[in-house]
Amino acid sequence: MRDHGGDLDRAMREHGAGDWLDLSTGINPVPYPVPDLAPRAFTALPTRADMAALTDAARAAYGATKGTACTPLAGAQAAIQLVPRLTTPGTARVVTPTYNEHAAALRTQGWQVEEVGSLDALKGAALAVVVNPNNPDGRAWTPEALVDLATTTGLLVVDESFADPHPDLSLIPHLATLPGNTLVLRSFGKFYGLAGLRLGFALGAPDLIDGIAALAGPWNISGPAIATGTAALQDTDWHANTCARLLTDAARLDTLAATRGWQFVGGTPLFRTYDTGNAQAAQERLAHHHVWSRVFPYSESWLRLGLPGTEAQWLQLESALRG
């Protein structure tokens, strides 16, 4: 099932319109302040210099070293849609449970997908996918473990969409030392809170990145996304301050959930997943207070919450949890 968070339309359809607090995604609720953009960002096709500035900013922000190529895309989702077309379909393995678009996109392009529970089970696959840190349970693997895995698979895809607060987990600084079979995906919109901008990146060996860029085609990133992304990725102070705030807020959310008796399953500083005993009942209870959450078709008890952004939103969530 290709179900997703952010489905606030369903919440309003089932529970009525109103002042909803949407915690069904892992998007930073305090976004990067969009800079004033020059008119040409909207009126002119992006130039090679514009794209190079964005790519250089991404490589620096993500710790890429010499020999690692990078291409911007319209969100990590765009990369997920293109990955199945990089090589001849065969057997793919995906560590699950995880973001369901990976397996769905592969199957759409004729891949036989096996859902597995560990890194070891990925060995020998023609294409292997691991989300690090994982969504929704927060499992994480060291770069060293992924380096070892890369020598045992065909194409290895590591989705680091939630890795911005965890630079120690990133495989990107190690890519130049790996065989050219490893592709790392990064999401811009989640950590920077600008999901509507539709921006992400793929990093890897030059031949691999040339292939995905060719599939994406020219001008696949808008001028406003290029300008905003370049500025945000260069703002190291904002990055550091945001990481600190997210860690504090995640701990606050865990404390609130514990008062309800929920057990912490795992997560990242952008989202937390809890064992509620009955996820559907917990979602319904929160929805009565116009707080929307995320449940999963493969678990009767897991419920995921993103972070509130304002104090008023925190109070709304606290009230919903007491109700």
Side-chain angles (χ1 to χ4, degrees), residues 42-62:
F42 297 90
T43 61
L45 287 172
T47 66
R48 290 183 180 179
D50 295 332
M51 293 289 278
L54 175 62
T55 299
D56 289 346
R59 293 183 76 261
Y62 298 144

Side-chain angles (χ1 to χ4, degrees), residues 214-237:
L215 289 172
W219 309 305
N220 66 314
I221 306 298
S222 72
I226 293 171
T228 303
T230 302
L233 289 164
Q234 292 174 335
D235 195 336
T236 55
D237 288 341

Side-chain angles (χ1 to χ4, degrees), residues 23-184:
L23 302 183
S24 68
T25 74
I27 298 168
N28 182 356
V30 184
Y32 184 80
V34 176
D36 291 334
L37 301 179
R40 68 172 298 274
F42 297 90
T43 61
L45 287 172
T47 66
R48 290 183 180 179
D50 295 332
M51 293 289 278
L54 175 62
T55 299
D56 289 346
R59 293 183 76 261
Y62 298 144
T65 59
K66 185 177 180 180
T68 297
C70 173
T71 189
L73 297 159
Q77 182 63 44
I80 292 169
Q81 297 297 127
L82 296 175
V83 161
R85 298 168 58 192
L86 288 173
T87 186
T88 303
T91 299
R93 295 181 188 147
V94 181
V95 178
T96 58
T98 195
Y99 181 55
N100 59 29
E101 284 293 332
H102 285 286
L106 287 161
R107 289 187 175 110
T108 298
Q109 293 297 323
W111 286 82
Q112 299 297 313
V113 179
E114 298 175 358
E115 299 183 359
V116 301
S118 68
L119 284 192
D120 283 344
L122 294 176
K123 294 177 180 178
L127 190 154
V129 179
V130 58
V131 179
N132 191 40
N134 191 46
N135 170 23
D137 60 11
R139 282 182 296 170
W141 295 269
T142 66
E144 292 74 21
L146 296 171
V147 166
D148 290 342
L149 177 64
T151 64
T152 68
T153 66
L155 177 60
L156 173 61
V157 179
V158 182
D159 183 344
E160 295 185 354
S161 288
F162 288 100
D164 288 80
H166 300 286
D168 56 308
L169 293 179
S170 180
L171 190 61
I172 293 171
H174 306 267
L175 282 174
T177 65
L178 292 176
N181 68 328
T182 305
L183 183 70
V184 177

